[in-house]
Amino acid sequence: MTSPASDTPPDQPDPSPTSYPISQTVLGNGLRVIASPDHGAPSVAVNLWYDVGSRHEQPGRTGFAHLFEHIMFQGSANVAAGQHIGLMQAAGAMVNATTSMDRTNYFETLPTGGADLALWLEADRLGTLLDALTQENLDTQREVVKEEKRQRYDNVPYGDAMQRLIELTFPADHPYGHTTIGSMDDLNAATVEDVRAFFATHYLPNNAVLTIAGDLDPEDAFERAQRYFGGLASGPAPADPDPTPLPVITGLPQAETKAAVPAEAIYLTWRLPTRDTPEFDAADLALSVLGHGQTSRLHRALVRGAEVAESAAAMTMPLIGGTSIGLCYARARSGVTPEQLTEALLAEVHQLRNDGPTEIEVRRAKAQFERHWLNELARIDSRADTIGEYATLHGDPTMINSRLATFTAIDHDQIAAALTERLDPDHRATLIYRKESE
Protein backbone atom coordinates (compact mmCIF):
# COMPACT_ATOMS: atom_id res chain seq x y z
CA MET A 1 0.00 0.00 0.00
CA THR A 2 1.30 3.46 -0.85
CA SER A 3 1.02 6.28 1.60
CA PRO A 4 -1.00 9.35 0.63
CA ALA A 5 1.01 12.27 -0.70
CA SER A 6 2.05 14.71 1.99
CA ASP A 7 1.28 18.39 1.56
CA THR A 8 4.68 19.18 3.02
CA PRO A 9 7.65 18.24 0.84
CA PRO A 10 10.92 17.20 2.46
CA ASP A 11 13.74 19.68 2.71
CA GLN A 12 15.12 20.31 -0.75
CA PRO A 13 18.82 20.17 -1.54
CA ASP A 14 20.37 22.86 -3.62
CA PRO A 15 20.02 22.33 -7.38
CA SER A 16 22.25 19.50 -8.54
CA PRO A 17 25.76 20.59 -9.48
CA THR A 18 25.84 17.96 -12.26
CA SER A 19 27.50 19.45 -15.33
CA TYR A 20 27.45 17.68 -18.68
CA PRO A 21 30.41 18.07 -21.03
CA ILE A 22 29.63 20.17 -24.10
CA SER A 23 32.02 20.57 -27.04
CA GLN A 24 31.08 22.45 -30.20
CA THR A 25 32.30 23.03 -33.71
CA VAL A 26 30.86 24.46 -36.91
CA LEU A 27 31.52 22.76 -40.24
CA GLY A 28 32.41 24.77 -43.31
CA ASN A 29 28.82 24.55 -44.55
CA GLY A 30 27.45 26.02 -41.34
CA LEU A 31 26.26 22.82 -39.64
CA ARG A 32 26.60 23.22 -35.88
CA VAL A 33 27.90 20.00 -34.32
CA ILE A 34 27.76 19.40 -30.57
CA ALA A 35 29.35 16.48 -28.76
CA SER A 36 28.54 15.40 -25.22
CA PRO A 37 30.55 12.30 -24.31
CA ASP A 38 29.23 9.77 -21.81
CA HIS A 39 31.02 6.44 -21.61
CA GLY A 40 28.67 4.91 -19.06
CA ALA A 41 27.24 2.55 -21.68
CA PRO A 42 28.27 1.55 -25.23
CA SER A 43 25.53 3.56 -26.91
CA VAL A 44 25.19 6.82 -28.77
CA ALA A 45 22.39 9.27 -29.54
CA VAL A 46 22.34 11.04 -32.90
CA ASN A 47 19.95 13.98 -32.86
CA LEU A 48 19.26 16.55 -35.59
CA TRP A 49 17.26 19.69 -34.90
CA TYR A 50 16.13 21.73 -37.90
CA ASP A 51 15.11 25.31 -37.22
CA VAL A 52 11.75 24.90 -38.94
CA GLY A 53 8.35 24.41 -37.38
CA SER A 54 4.80 25.41 -38.16
CA ARG A 55 5.58 29.05 -37.34
CA HIS A 56 7.85 29.16 -40.42
CA GLU A 57 5.05 28.18 -42.80
CA GLN A 58 3.49 30.61 -45.26
CA PRO A 59 -0.24 31.35 -45.57
CA GLY A 60 -1.85 28.72 -47.76
CA ARG A 61 1.00 26.32 -47.12
CA THR A 62 0.35 25.19 -43.55
CA GLY A 63 1.23 21.70 -42.40
CA PHE A 64 4.43 21.51 -44.48
CA ALA A 65 6.80 21.20 -41.50
CA HIS A 66 4.88 18.22 -40.16
CA LEU A 67 4.46 16.73 -43.63
CA PHE A 68 8.26 16.66 -43.96
CA GLU A 69 8.56 14.72 -40.74
CA HIS A 70 6.90 11.93 -42.75
CA ILE A 71 8.48 12.57 -46.16
CA MET A 72 11.97 12.33 -44.68
CA PHE A 73 11.35 8.61 -44.17
CA GLN A 74 10.22 8.11 -47.77
CA GLY A 75 13.69 7.54 -49.13
CA SER A 76 16.62 9.46 -50.61
CA ALA A 77 19.13 8.88 -53.40
CA ASN A 78 20.70 5.84 -51.74
CA VAL A 79 17.96 4.69 -49.37
CA ALA A 80 14.66 3.16 -50.46
CA ALA A 81 11.33 4.29 -48.99
CA GLY A 82 10.93 2.93 -45.47
CA GLN A 83 14.48 1.58 -45.37
CA HIS A 84 15.76 4.22 -42.93
CA ILE A 85 13.71 2.81 -40.08
CA GLY A 86 14.37 -0.78 -41.14
CA LEU A 87 18.14 -0.32 -41.18
CA MET A 88 18.10 1.46 -37.84
CA GLN A 89 15.95 -1.13 -36.12
CA ALA A 90 18.17 -3.89 -37.48
CA ALA A 91 21.09 -2.09 -35.82
CA GLY A 92 19.24 -2.04 -32.50
CA ALA A 93 18.16 1.59 -32.69
CA MET A 94 15.24 3.52 -31.34
CA VAL A 95 14.35 5.98 -34.11
CA ASN A 96 11.67 8.64 -34.54
CA ALA A 97 10.94 12.27 -35.39
CA THR A 98 8.70 15.04 -34.05
CA THR A 99 7.43 18.42 -35.19
CA SER A 100 6.37 21.42 -33.13
CA MET A 101 5.56 25.05 -33.76
CA ASP A 102 9.26 25.91 -33.38
CA ARG A 103 11.29 23.02 -34.82
CA THR A 104 11.49 19.58 -36.42
CA ASN A 105 13.85 16.95 -35.04
CA TYR A 106 15.03 13.49 -36.06
CA PHE A 107 16.78 11.11 -33.71
CA GLU A 108 18.30 7.68 -33.26
CA THR A 109 19.72 5.99 -30.17
CA LEU A 110 21.68 2.82 -30.78
CA PRO A 111 24.81 0.84 -29.88
CA THR A 112 27.99 2.80 -30.55
CA GLY A 113 28.92 0.55 -33.46
CA GLY A 114 25.92 1.85 -35.40
CA ALA A 115 26.88 5.52 -35.16
CA ASP A 116 28.31 5.65 -38.68
CA LEU A 117 25.15 4.16 -40.16
CA ALA A 118 22.93 6.64 -38.33
CA LEU A 119 25.05 9.60 -39.42
CA TRP A 120 25.22 8.38 -43.02
CA LEU A 121 21.44 7.93 -43.19
CA GLU A 122 20.78 11.39 -41.79
CA ALA A 123 23.29 12.99 -44.14
CA ASP A 124 21.95 11.13 -47.16
CA ARG A 125 18.39 12.33 -46.70
CA LEU A 126 19.51 15.88 -45.95
CA GLY A 127 21.65 15.95 -49.08
CA THR A 128 19.61 13.91 -51.54
CA LEU A 129 15.97 13.69 -50.41
CA LEU A 130 14.81 15.67 -53.45
CA ASP A 131 16.38 13.07 -55.73
CA ALA A 132 13.79 10.56 -54.49
CA LEU A 133 10.79 12.89 -54.03
CA THR A 134 7.99 11.92 -56.39
CA GLN A 135 4.32 12.69 -56.75
CA GLU A 136 3.60 9.19 -55.46
CA ASN A 137 5.67 9.76 -52.30
CA LEU A 138 3.95 13.08 -51.69
CA ASP A 139 0.49 11.60 -52.18
CA THR A 140 1.27 8.67 -49.89
CA GLN A 141 2.47 10.83 -47.01
CA ARG A 142 -0.31 13.36 -47.52
CA GLU A 143 -2.79 10.54 -46.91
CA VAL A 144 -0.83 9.42 -43.85
CA VAL A 145 -1.11 12.93 -42.40
CA LYS A 146 -4.85 13.03 -43.13
CA GLU A 147 -5.30 9.75 -41.31
CA GLU A 148 -3.25 11.05 -38.38
CA LYS A 149 -5.53 14.08 -38.20
CA ARG A 150 -8.60 11.84 -38.14
CA GLN A 151 -7.14 9.68 -35.40
CA ARG A 152 -5.66 12.39 -33.18
CA TYR A 153 -7.82 15.47 -33.81
CA ASP A 154 -11.18 14.59 -35.35
CA ASN A 155 -12.30 11.31 -33.80
CA VAL A 156 -11.24 11.53 -30.15
CA PRO A 157 -12.89 13.51 -27.35
CA TYR A 158 -11.45 17.01 -27.02
CA GLY A 159 -9.08 16.22 -29.93
CA ASP A 160 -9.62 19.63 -31.49
CA ALA A 161 -9.08 21.53 -28.22
CA MET A 162 -5.58 22.76 -29.09
CA GLN A 163 -6.67 23.94 -32.52
CA ARG A 164 -9.55 25.90 -31.00
CA LEU A 165 -7.37 27.31 -28.21
CA ILE A 166 -4.74 28.47 -30.69
CA GLU A 167 -7.42 30.19 -32.72
CA LEU A 168 -8.62 31.98 -29.58
CA THR A 169 -5.15 32.88 -28.32
CA PHE A 170 -3.44 34.08 -31.52
CA PRO A 171 -4.57 36.18 -34.50
CA ALA A 172 -5.24 34.04 -37.56
CA ASP A 173 -2.28 35.55 -39.44
CA HIS A 174 0.18 35.10 -36.56
CA PRO A 175 2.98 32.53 -37.05
CA TYR A 176 1.48 30.58 -34.13
CA GLY A 177 -2.07 30.99 -35.43
CA HIS A 178 -2.40 27.41 -36.69
CA THR A 179 -1.57 23.93 -35.46
CA THR A 180 1.34 21.82 -36.68
CA ILE A 181 -1.05 19.41 -38.42
CA GLY A 182 -2.02 22.34 -40.63
CA SER A 183 -4.96 22.75 -42.97
CA MET A 184 -6.03 19.73 -44.99
CA ASP A 185 -7.06 22.10 -47.79
CA ASP A 186 -3.50 23.46 -47.85
CA LEU A 187 -2.05 19.96 -47.95
CA ASN A 188 -4.45 18.93 -50.71
CA ALA A 189 -3.34 21.91 -52.76
CA ALA A 190 0.38 21.27 -52.24
CA THR A 191 2.34 20.38 -55.36
CA VAL A 192 5.67 18.62 -55.66
CA GLU A 193 7.17 22.00 -56.59
CA ASP A 194 5.77 23.56 -53.37
CA VAL A 195 7.27 20.77 -51.29
CA ARG A 196 10.61 20.97 -53.06
CA ALA A 197 10.76 24.71 -52.40
CA PHE A 198 10.03 24.24 -48.69
CA PHE A 199 12.77 21.63 -48.36
CA ALA A 200 15.29 23.74 -50.28
CA THR A 201 14.55 26.72 -48.04
CA HIS A 202 14.70 25.06 -44.63
CA TYR A 203 16.57 21.75 -44.87
CA LEU A 204 20.07 23.14 -44.99
CA PRO A 205 23.14 22.24 -42.93
CA ASN A 206 23.39 25.88 -41.85
CA ASN A 207 19.81 25.67 -40.52
CA ALA A 208 20.44 22.58 -38.39
CA VAL A 209 22.12 21.39 -35.21
CA LEU A 210 23.62 17.89 -34.99
CA THR A 211 24.11 16.57 -31.47
CA ILE A 212 26.06 13.40 -30.79
CA ALA A 213 25.84 12.25 -27.18
CA GLY A 214 27.15 9.09 -25.61
CA ASP A 215 30.09 6.76 -26.14
CA LEU A 216 32.12 8.89 -28.57
CA ASP A 217 34.82 11.42 -27.73
CA PRO A 218 34.34 14.90 -29.21
CA GLU A 219 37.21 14.61 -31.70
CA ASP A 220 35.79 11.34 -32.97
CA ALA A 221 32.27 12.75 -33.17
CA PHE A 222 33.44 15.83 -35.07
CA GLU A 223 35.48 13.76 -37.52
CA ARG A 224 32.48 11.58 -38.30
CA ALA A 225 30.23 14.60 -38.70
CA GLN A 226 32.70 16.11 -41.16
CA ARG A 227 32.97 12.82 -43.05
CA TYR A 228 29.24 12.47 -43.64
CA PHE A 229 27.92 16.03 -43.58
CA GLY A 230 30.91 18.15 -44.59
CA GLY A 231 30.30 17.85 -48.34
CA LEU A 232 26.68 19.03 -48.22
CA ALA A 233 25.99 22.46 -49.67
CA SER A 234 24.67 25.30 -47.55
CA GLY A 235 22.23 27.93 -48.71
CA PRO A 236 20.79 31.31 -47.78
CA ALA A 237 19.70 31.28 -44.15
CA PRO A 238 15.89 31.40 -43.96
CA ALA A 239 14.41 34.33 -42.07
CA ASP A 240 12.67 33.78 -38.77
CA PRO A 241 9.14 35.16 -38.33
CA ASP A 242 8.70 38.40 -36.42
CA PRO A 243 9.31 37.59 -32.71
CA THR A 244 7.58 40.72 -31.38
CA PRO A 245 5.55 39.67 -28.30
CA LEU A 246 1.79 40.00 -28.46
CA PRO A 247 -0.01 42.07 -25.82
CA VAL A 248 -2.27 40.37 -23.32
CA ILE A 249 -5.60 39.04 -24.58
CA THR A 250 -8.41 41.56 -24.50
CA GLY A 251 -12.15 41.33 -24.95
CA LEU A 252 -12.55 37.93 -23.25
CA PRO A 253 -12.82 35.92 -26.50
CA GLN A 254 -14.86 32.75 -26.10
CA ALA A 255 -15.75 29.75 -28.23
CA GLU A 256 -18.27 27.04 -27.50
CA THR A 257 -18.86 23.68 -29.11
CA LYS A 258 -21.24 20.76 -28.67
CA ALA A 259 -19.44 17.46 -29.09
CA ALA A 260 -19.53 13.77 -28.24
CA VAL A 261 -17.37 14.20 -25.14
CA PRO A 262 -17.61 12.24 -21.89
CA ALA A 263 -17.87 15.38 -19.75
CA GLU A 264 -18.42 19.06 -20.23
CA ALA A 265 -15.18 20.98 -19.98
CA ILE A 266 -13.68 24.44 -19.67
CA TYR A 267 -10.31 25.62 -21.00
CA LEU A 268 -8.76 29.02 -20.20
CA THR A 269 -5.69 30.45 -21.93
CA TRP A 270 -3.38 33.41 -21.46
CA ARG A 271 -0.51 34.84 -23.48
CA LEU A 272 2.83 34.47 -21.72
CA PRO A 273 6.36 35.76 -22.47
CA THR A 274 8.82 33.85 -24.61
CA ARG A 275 10.11 30.62 -23.15
CA ASP A 276 12.93 30.28 -20.62
CA THR A 277 12.93 33.91 -19.57
CA PRO A 278 12.51 34.92 -15.91
CA GLU A 279 9.03 36.24 -16.71
CA PHE A 280 7.99 32.98 -18.35
CA ASP A 281 9.51 30.88 -15.58
CA ALA A 282 7.63 32.86 -12.95
CA ALA A 283 4.34 32.28 -14.79
CA ASP A 284 5.25 28.61 -15.18
CA LEU A 285 5.75 28.27 -11.44
CA ALA A 286 2.46 30.03 -10.75
CA LEU A 287 0.57 27.67 -13.05
CA SER A 288 2.36 24.69 -11.51
CA VAL A 289 1.10 25.76 -8.07
CA LEU A 290 -2.35 26.21 -9.57
CA GLY A 291 -2.67 22.94 -11.40
CA HIS A 292 0.30 20.54 -11.52
CA GLY A 293 -0.43 17.26 -9.82
CA GLN A 294 -2.73 16.04 -7.08
CA THR A 295 -1.40 18.50 -4.49
CA SER A 296 -2.18 21.49 -6.71
CA ARG A 297 -4.87 24.00 -5.81
CA LEU A 298 -7.20 23.03 -8.64
CA HIS A 299 -7.11 19.34 -7.79
CA ARG A 300 -7.58 19.92 -4.08
CA ALA A 301 -10.35 22.50 -4.48
CA LEU A 302 -12.30 21.29 -7.52
CA VAL A 303 -11.72 17.52 -7.58
CA ARG A 304 -11.27 16.54 -3.94
CA GLY A 305 -12.99 19.47 -2.21
CA ALA A 306 -16.08 20.81 -3.94
CA GLU A 307 -16.22 17.74 -6.21
CA VAL A 308 -17.32 19.81 -9.20
CA ALA A 309 -14.63 18.43 -11.53
CA GLU A 310 -13.48 14.97 -12.57
CA SER A 311 -10.04 16.40 -13.36
CA ALA A 312 -8.36 19.79 -13.40
CA ALA A 313 -4.88 20.99 -14.31
CA ALA A 314 -2.78 23.96 -15.45
CA MET A 315 0.34 24.11 -17.60
CA THR A 316 2.37 26.13 -20.06
CA MET A 317 3.31 25.72 -23.71
CA PRO A 318 6.78 27.30 -23.99
CA LEU A 319 7.43 28.93 -27.36
CA ILE A 320 10.41 30.89 -28.68
CA GLY A 321 8.69 33.32 -31.06
CA GLY A 322 7.84 36.09 -28.62
CA THR A 323 4.66 34.69 -27.07
CA SER A 324 4.02 31.45 -25.18
CA ILE A 325 0.75 29.97 -23.91
CA GLY A 326 -0.52 29.39 -20.39
CA LEU A 327 -3.66 27.35 -19.85
CA CYS A 328 -5.80 25.61 -17.29
CA TYR A 329 -8.75 23.30 -17.73
CA ALA A 330 -11.31 21.29 -15.84
CA ARG A 331 -13.77 18.57 -16.82
CA ALA A 332 -17.11 18.66 -15.03
CA ARG A 333 -18.72 16.04 -12.87
CA SER A 334 -22.21 14.97 -13.83
CA GLY A 335 -24.75 17.70 -13.12
CA VAL A 336 -22.22 20.52 -12.99
CA THR A 337 -22.72 23.17 -15.69
CA PRO A 338 -19.88 24.81 -17.62
CA GLU A 339 -20.84 28.10 -16.01
CA GLN A 340 -20.45 26.63 -12.51
CA LEU A 341 -17.13 25.06 -13.47
CA THR A 342 -15.84 28.32 -14.92
CA GLU A 343 -16.78 30.13 -11.73
CA ALA A 344 -14.92 27.56 -9.64
CA LEU A 345 -11.83 27.74 -11.86
CA LEU A 346 -11.73 31.52 -11.78
CA ALA A 347 -12.18 31.56 -8.01
CA GLU A 348 -8.95 29.60 -7.62
CA VAL A 349 -7.10 31.87 -10.05
CA HIS A 350 -8.34 34.96 -8.20
CA GLN A 351 -7.33 33.55 -4.82
CA LEU A 352 -3.85 32.67 -6.03
CA ARG A 353 -3.44 36.16 -7.50
CA ASN A 354 -4.69 37.84 -4.34
CA ASP A 355 -2.83 35.77 -1.74
CA GLY A 356 0.15 34.47 -3.71
CA PRO A 357 1.55 30.97 -3.35
CA THR A 358 2.84 29.69 -0.04
CA GLU A 359 6.49 28.92 0.52
CA ILE A 360 5.69 25.19 0.56
CA GLU A 361 3.83 25.44 -2.76
CA VAL A 362 6.75 27.18 -4.45
CA ARG A 363 9.24 24.67 -3.06
CA ARG A 364 7.08 21.82 -4.28
CA ALA A 365 6.76 23.32 -7.78
CA LYS A 366 10.51 23.80 -8.02
CA ALA A 367 11.10 20.25 -6.78
CA GLN A 368 8.74 18.91 -9.46
CA PHE A 369 10.67 20.79 -12.13
CA GLU A 370 14.00 19.57 -10.77
CA ARG A 371 12.89 15.95 -10.69
CA HIS A 372 11.68 16.10 -14.30
CA TRP A 373 14.76 18.00 -15.50
CA LEU A 374 17.29 15.64 -13.95
CA ASN A 375 15.34 12.58 -15.04
CA GLU A 376 15.42 13.78 -18.66
CA LEU A 377 19.11 14.61 -18.65
CA ALA A 378 20.03 11.27 -17.10
CA ARG A 379 19.38 9.52 -20.45
CA ILE A 380 21.60 10.20 -23.44
CA ASP A 381 18.68 10.30 -25.88
CA SER A 382 16.75 13.02 -24.07
CA ARG A 383 20.02 14.78 -23.13
CA ALA A 384 20.99 15.00 -26.81
CA ASP A 385 17.51 16.32 -27.57
CA THR A 386 17.74 18.99 -24.87
CA ILE A 387 21.19 20.05 -26.06
CA GLY A 388 19.84 20.44 -29.60
CA GLU A 389 16.86 22.34 -28.24
CA TYR A 390 18.94 24.96 -26.45
CA ALA A 391 21.41 25.25 -29.31
CA THR A 392 18.64 25.75 -31.88
CA LEU A 393 16.18 27.91 -30.00
CA HIS A 394 18.52 29.84 -27.69
CA GLY A 395 21.86 29.60 -29.46
CA ASP A 396 23.58 28.17 -26.38
CA PRO A 397 23.68 24.42 -25.63
CA THR A 398 25.56 25.04 -22.38
CA MET A 399 22.31 26.39 -20.92
CA ILE A 400 21.49 22.80 -19.95
CA ASN A 401 24.10 23.17 -17.19
CA SER A 402 22.66 26.41 -15.80
CA ARG A 403 18.96 26.03 -16.55
CA LEU A 404 18.04 24.35 -13.28
CA ALA A 405 19.76 26.99 -11.16
CA THR A 406 18.16 29.77 -13.21
CA PHE A 407 14.69 28.31 -12.80
CA THR A 408 14.96 27.61 -9.08
CA ALA A 409 16.24 31.15 -8.46
CA ILE A 410 12.82 32.64 -9.34
CA ASP A 411 11.48 34.33 -6.20
CA HIS A 412 8.06 35.18 -4.77
CA ASP A 413 8.11 38.74 -6.07
CA GLN A 414 8.62 37.51 -9.63
CA ILE A 415 5.79 34.98 -9.25
CA ALA A 416 3.52 37.69 -7.83
CA ALA A 417 4.35 39.94 -10.79
CA ALA A 418 3.56 37.14 -13.24
CA LEU A 419 0.22 36.52 -11.56
CA THR A 420 -0.63 40.20 -11.70
CA GLU A 421 0.61 40.96 -15.19
CA ARG A 422 0.16 37.69 -17.09
CA LEU A 423 -2.58 35.62 -15.44
CA ASP A 424 -5.34 38.17 -15.07
CA PRO A 425 -8.75 36.48 -15.53
CA ASP A 426 -9.88 39.61 -17.37
CA HIS A 427 -7.25 38.92 -20.04
CA ARG A 428 -8.06 35.32 -20.89
CA ALA A 429 -9.71 33.32 -23.65
CA THR A 430 -12.30 30.64 -22.88
CA LEU A 431 -13.22 27.42 -24.67
CA ILE A 432 -16.34 25.52 -23.57
CA TYR A 433 -17.25 21.95 -24.46
CA ARG A 434 -20.88 21.00 -23.95
CA LYS A 435 -22.04 17.41 -24.28
CA GLU A 436 -24.30 16.59 -27.18
CA SER A 437 -27.79 15.65 -26.13
CA GLU A 438 -28.15 11.90 -25.86
Side-chain angles (χ1 to χ4, degrees):
M1 177 181 294
T2 58
S3 300
S6 170
D7 285 343
T8 304
D11 289 340
Q12 294 175 227
D14 291 333
S16 171
T18 301
S19 181
Y20 296 98
I22 302 288
S23 298
Q24 306 179 61
T25 191
V26 179
L27 304 188
N29 57 16
L31 177 68
R32 289 174 288 172
V33 184
I34 303 167
S36 182
D38 183 340
H39 301 295
S43 59
V44 65
V46 173
N47 193 298
L48 262 170
W49 272 58
Y50 291 94
D51 193 5
V52 55
S54 59
R55 74 184 178 109
H56 298 91
E57 296 164 348
Q58 299 302 310
R61 295 294 181 268
T62 63
F64 276 38
H66 175 252
L67 178 64
F68 261 99
E69 178 195 323
H70 293 268
I71 289 178
M72 287 282 275
F73 290 97
Q74 276 297 99
S76 49
N78 302 295
V79 182
Q83 193 175 5
H84 184 115
I85 292 179
L87 288 169
M88 283 287 87
Q89 289 180 338
M94 295 185 297
V95 54
N96 212 331
T98 64
T99 309
S100 78
M101 291 180 168
D102 287 329
R103 89 296 180 270
T104 309
N105 70 322
Y106 303 85
F107 46 93
E108 298 90 6
T109 306
L110 71 170
T112 307
D116 285 291
L117 177 60
L119 291 165
W120 177 79
L121 286 168
E122 290 291 359
D124 194 67
R125 62 181 175 181
L126 173 57
T128 69
L129 181 98
L130 294 183
D131 295 346
L133 180 62
T134 65
Q135 184 69 51
E136 181 182 3
N137 288 346
L138 172 59
D139 292 343
T140 297
Q141 293 311 309
R142 181 159 38 201
E143 292 306 311
V144 170
V145 172
K146 289 180 184 179
E147 181 61 23
E148 180 179 341
K149 183 176 185 295
R150 285 188 285 268
Q151 291 183 3
R152 294 179 54 194
Y153 291 75
D154 300 339
N155 297 325
V156 295
Y158 317 106
D160 61 351
M162 186 51 63
Q163 176 182 341
R164 293 178 177 275
L165 291 171
I166 285 171
E167 291 170 352
L168 285 168
T169 307
F170 294 101
D173 60 352
H174 191 273
Y176 290 139
H178 62 277
T179 60
T180 56
I181 200 75
S183 159
M184 295 303 99
D185 289 340
D186 289 353
L187 288 181
N188 285 334
T191 66
V192 172
E193 290 72 25
D194 294 331
V195 174
R196 284 178 173 273
F198 187 87
F199 182 87
T201 299
H202 298 285
Y203 277 80
L204 303 165
N206 50 306
N207 199 44
V209 171
L210 169 63
T211 302
I212 304 171
D215 191 28
L216 287 177
D217 291 325
E219 296 78 9
D220 191 359
F222 296 154
E223 188 279 327
R224 296 183 196 217
Q226 176 63 40
R227 184 190 317 162
Y228 297 111
F229 289 86
L232 303 183
S234 61
D240 272 334
D242 182 7
T244 302
L246 291 173
V248 296
I249 296 172
T250 58
L252 295 176
Q254 179 172 306
E256 185 173 316
T257 183
K258 286 189 175 182
V261 293
E264 296 185 316
I266 300 295
Y267 293 77
L268 309 178
T269 69
W270 293 267
R271 292 174 183 162
L272 301 182
T274 195
R275 54 166 288 164
D276 294 359
T277 57
E279 295 78 14
F280 174 84
D281 291 344
D284 192 27
L285 278 166
L287 286 169
S288 182
V289 169
L290 183 67
H292 185 182
Q294 295 186 1
T295 57
S296 68
R297 292 195 176 198
L298 289 182
H299 188 86
R300 287 185 295 167
L302 276 60
V303 179
R304 287 163 43 193
E307 297 186 349
V308 295
E310 294 178 349
S311 60
M315 64 205 70
T316 59
M317 180 183 292
L319 299 169
I320 197 63
T323 304
S324 300
I325 301 174
L327 69 90
C328 67
Y329 74 89
R331 293 176 184 170
R333 287 183 182 264
S334 179
V336 177
T337 68
E339 289 73 20
Q340 292 171 320
L341 194 58
T342 301
E343 182 179 356
L345 266 176
L346 292 176
E348 292 305 312
V349 176
H350 278 296
Q351 183 172 357
L352 182 58
R353 292 182 80 239
N354 291 338
D355 300 340
T358 67
E359 177 67 28
I360 289 176
E361 288 175 320
V362 173
R363 287 170 55 201
R364 183 188 300 118
K366 291 180 178 181
Q368 290 170 334
F369 178 90
E370 180 176 354
R371 174 180 52 81
H372 175 76
W373 180 258
L374 296 178
N375 182 64
E376 287 297 297
L377 292 188
R379 306 195 321 268
I380 62 165
D381 55 346
S382 52
R383 189 187 317 155
D385 196 54
T386 305
I387 290 170
E389 174 184 2
Y390 279 90
T392 303
L393 302 183
H394 296 277
D396 183 6
T398 67
M399 283 178 67
I400 71 161
N401 290 324
S402 59
R403 175 72 182 131
L404 182 56
T406 299
F407 186 87
T408 55
I410 299 297
D411 61 30
H412 276 72
D413 288 342
Q414 290 170 293
I415 297 172
L419 285 163
T420 299
E421 299 167 9
R422 298 292 180 171
L423 298 172
D424 186 342
D426 292 333
H427 294 289
R428 73 179 194 275
T430 304
L431 172 62
I432 300 173
Y433 279 89
R434 296 186 189 271
K435 293 179 64 174
E436 289 181 339
S437 300
E438 298 180 356

